[in-house]
Amino acid sequence: MSVTSDRQALVIGASRGLGLVLADELARRGWRVIATTRQDGGELQAHADASNGRLTVESLEMTSREQLAALRERLEGCRLDLLFVNAAIDRGDLAIDEVSTGMFTEVMITNALSPLRALEALRGLVAPGGTVAVMSSEQGSISRNTEDGYELYKASKAALNQLMRSYATRHADDGQTKLLIDPGHNRTQLGGPDAPLSPRESIPAVVDVLEAQAGAPGLQFLDRHGEPVPW
């Protein structure tokens, strides 16, 4: 594995779980990493303090347009090779007729609308040939939706994927690689304690995919092995 010191990444949503491990893994490989969290301190800050300057922390509530604009202003002049948006919530295994309007709105804003707002607000920091990526899920695959359960979460990820298709179409000529990443079912607060994978197992493979796909044209929906996930 080659380690370089000139690549820079911004990871949105890195306070815990997959995002935290992603920030750590990139830093371990020699990237300079800016990682965001909604709350100061915590595990991310501890990791940053121990990173010898490879990892720095910025405060961001991703659902706030004002905070996105403020982050963009703070990072003015920063050149990114990777912008990765990792953010999702789940409100339980409910049939769609049991989901309140407020719950539906909250999940869709967090899982689908806000990641694309983040890309639009921050994409100007990404160098031509750089990568914009969003953490998706196989659960967002319409063709693979053959089992009951988690209807709202699945819908939010399918919406995310569709919005990313629109984003990629609108920005087809910007020279940036565009990826939706399915990291597999991980033992996180979202994935639950019985999931078959740990972030420490899956995220190094995810970073392998990010590095291998750098410079690739168009939009791809890939799993942690770099294999296409059906839409």
Side-chain angles (χ1 to χ4, degrees):
M1 179 183 64
S2 63
V3 176
T4 65
S5 59
D6 59 346
R7 296 174 298 177
Q8 184 154 261
L10 172 59
V11 180
I12 305 295
S15 61
R16 62 175 185 266
L18 293 169
L20 178 62
V21 178
L22 175 62
D24 279 346
E25 179 65 16
L26 288 166
R28 187 186 71 80
R29 296 189 188 203
W31 290 68
R32 296 191 307 275
V33 182
I34 305 163
T36 75
T37 179
R38 290 181 298 172
Q39 297 179 335
D40 294 336
E43 195 172 0
L44 177 61
Q45 187 61 58
H47 287 217
D49 292 343
S51 72
N52 293 318
R54 305 302 308 173
L55 174 61
T56 58
V57 178
E58 288 281 351
S59 177
L60 176 69
E61 170 51 69
M62 187 186 66
T63 61
S64 166
R65 277 183 147 168
E66 292 76 17
Q67 289 196 27
L68 281 169
L71 177 64
R72 175 65 175 82
E73 186 173 348
R74 292 198 302 273
L75 296 180
E76 183 64 37
C78 179
R79 178 188 178 279
L80 298 176
D81 300 286
L82 171 65
L83 168 59
F84 197 108
V85 180
N86 169 65
I89 59 173
D90 173 36
R91 291 298 181 251
D93 185 7
L94 300 173
I96 198 65
D97 64 311
E98 298 172 342
V99 172
S100 70
T101 301
M103 183 187 295
F104 183 89
T105 302
E106 178 192 25
V107 171
M108 284 293 184
I109 287 174
T110 302
N111 292 5
L113 177 60
S114 294
L116 270 296
R117 280 181 172 171
L119 291 189
E120 292 288 4
L122 300 166
R123 60 180 298 276
L125 300 173
V126 180
T131 299
V132 294
V134 182
M135 196 76 84
S136 186
S137 170
E138 182 187 37
Q139 302 235 39
S141 168
I142 292 174
S143 60
R144 287 189 177 177
N145 184 10
T146 58
E147 297 180 2
D148 292 339
Y150 295 94
E151 295 178 20
L152 176 55
Y153 181 77
K154 289 176 179 177
S156 72
K157 287 298 187 180
L160 169 69
N161 293 351
Q162 182 73 297
L163 289 171
M164 191 64 176
R165 291 289 296 258
S166 297
Y167 174 93
T169 300
R170 189 155 24 87
H171 298 301
D173 299 325
D174 65 4
Q176 296 173 357
T177 296
K178 302 168 184 72
L179 299 172
L180 287 158
I181 298 292
D182 166 30
H185 188 189
N186 283 264
R187 291 188 294 276
T188 63
Q189 186 175 34
L190 187 71
D194 299 323
L197 295 169
S198 76
R200 296 288 174 189
E201 295 168 328
S202 62
I203 287 299
V206 166
V207 177
D208 287 343
V209 172
L210 294 172
E211 293 184 332
Q213 293 297 326
L219 170 65
Q220 299 179 83
F221 184 13
L222 303 175
D223 67 16
R224 70 186 185 280
H225 305 298
E227 296 298 322
V229 180
W231 297 93

